[in-house]
Amino acid sequence: MFKGLLIEKDEQNYHANVKELDDSFLMDGDTTVKVSYSTINYKDALAITGKSPVVRKFPMIPGIDLVGTVEHCESGKFNQGDEVVLNGFGVGEVHCGGLAEKARLNSDWLIALPQSLSGKQAMAIGTAGYTAMLCVIALEKHGVTPDSGEILVTGANGGVGSYAIAILAKLGYTVVASTGRVSESSYLKSLGASEVIDRSELCEPGRPLAKERWAGVIDSVGSHTLVNACASTRYGGIVAACGLAQGMDLPGTVAPFILRGITLAGIDSVMRPLADREEAWQRIADILDDDIYQGVAKEIGLNDVCDMAEALINGKVQGRVVVKIG
């Protein structure tokens, strides 16, 4: 028996509760992992609260991130006792995930935990930090350097935004943070933002082309915010888009692309090849110091997850939430 958060659905109800489970709740896979930490991302919160049809198979253990110790690996890729990290691959959506004391997974979904990271630090990073690093790498590969100009980070108080600011600042970039919680500017500046702007400057319908300002953008918001970010990106710049907190729509024009030659780079973290994952995880482990994890993340227990998911959906959570399992 093991403890886990289980989402169940019938014709009348959708509910998530911590329960004692047995191995019948584990799905097919060649590797069994004893989970030490998980986390709550926005997608997890949507799944747990039922606010969006994230979960496509019931009953389901949510949790798109986990870190833990290998108990058994049939493929031979890992040895018993190895520490591993998982992000995405449909885990927590169609395959039981990390918000439980045990998980059965495919070894092809797992990477070794970087030696310089603890399990708690890895989940303080989680999909949010890993996605932020993928965005930064996209900017770098496009040729954006600290000398290129200001970098805009939208949704700055969220997990992706927080880590994007911290990573960019550590690498020497000048970062402007856009947020709906300007009252929390001190937090964003402590991460390395040089300026904080109100999201109202970007979240309403704007002009097809605005004054050129950004050398690059990391956007986790979508909709009008993404469109306005593109409209104000400098000639030849790049916008890395990885989220939809404002919406899935893209109500803009082709003007920034055909008149200023900007690039809109889509950043997927769910099905990313292992080589990209390993690069991103090692880069973030090399770049950030322990004080960043302490400042960005708070720790809760499994029994607190449902309440925290509601708070996250309602925009009341700053940074990251680490879930200690067991």
Side-chain angles (χ1 to χ4, degrees), residues 10 29-30 66 70 72 135 159 166-167 220 246 258 300:
D10 56 35
D30 59 22
L66 66 83
V70 172
H72 178 69
C135 291
I167 294 166
S220 60
Q246 186 179 2
I258 63 174
I300 65 171

Side-chain angles (χ1 to χ4, degrees), residues 115-295:
Q115 290 186 352
S116 59
L117 291 177
S118 69
K120 182 177 179 180
Q121 288 173 333
M123 287 300 96
I125 297 167
T127 286
Y130 147 67
T131 302
M133 190 69 244
L134 290 173
C135 291
V136 173
I137 291 171
L139 267 60
E140 292 176 332
K141 289 183 176 179
H142 193 74
V144 178
T145 70
D147 294 330
S148 299
E150 294 176 312
I151 307 299
L152 173 68
V153 175
T154 67
N157 267 295
V160 173
S162 294
Y163 272 107
I165 293 167
I167 294 166
L168 288 165
K170 285 285 187 179
L171 293 173
Y173 290 86
T174 301
V175 185
V176 177
S178 169
T179 179
R181 291 178 272 173
V182 179
S183 60
E184 299 175 7
S185 295
S186 58
Y187 163 73
L188 299 174
K189 289 185 176 180
S190 74
L191 294 176
S194 61
E195 182 182 348
V196 178
I197 62 175
D198 195 298
R199 70 180 176 195
S200 61
E201 296 185 28
L202 295 166
C203 68
E204 299 296 333
R207 300 169 61 184
L209 287 175
K211 183 178 179 180
E212 295 179 63
R213 181 170 182 183
W214 319 116
V217 178
I218 294 177
D219 175 69
S220 60
V221 178
S223 192
H224 290 292
T225 298
L226 175 55
V227 170
N228 288 322
C230 290
S232 50
T233 295
R234 290 162 52 177
Y235 188 93
I238 180 172
V239 178
C242 63
L244 44 70
Q246 186 179 2
M248 290 185 66
D249 57 327
L250 192 64
T253 74
V254 298
F257 309 102
I258 63 174
L259 298 179
R260 290 185 181 160
I262 77 160
T263 295
L264 179 58
I267 305 298
D268 165 63
S269 62
V270 177
M271 302 304 294
R272 200 79 177 199
L274 287 179
D276 291 353
R277 293 169 182 267
E278 290 168 346
E279 178 188 7
W281 273 99
Q282 192 58 59
R283 283 288 308 282
I284 200 169
D286 292 341
I287 291 167
L288 296 183
D289 302 321
D290 184 61
D291 60 334
I292 294 294
Y293 309 123
Q294 299 294 332

Side-chain angles (χ1 to χ4, degrees), residues 28-40:
D28 291 341
D30 59 22
T31 305
T32 303
V33 176
K34 181 180 180 181
V35 182
S36 55
Y37 288 94
S38 186
T39 182
I40 310 176

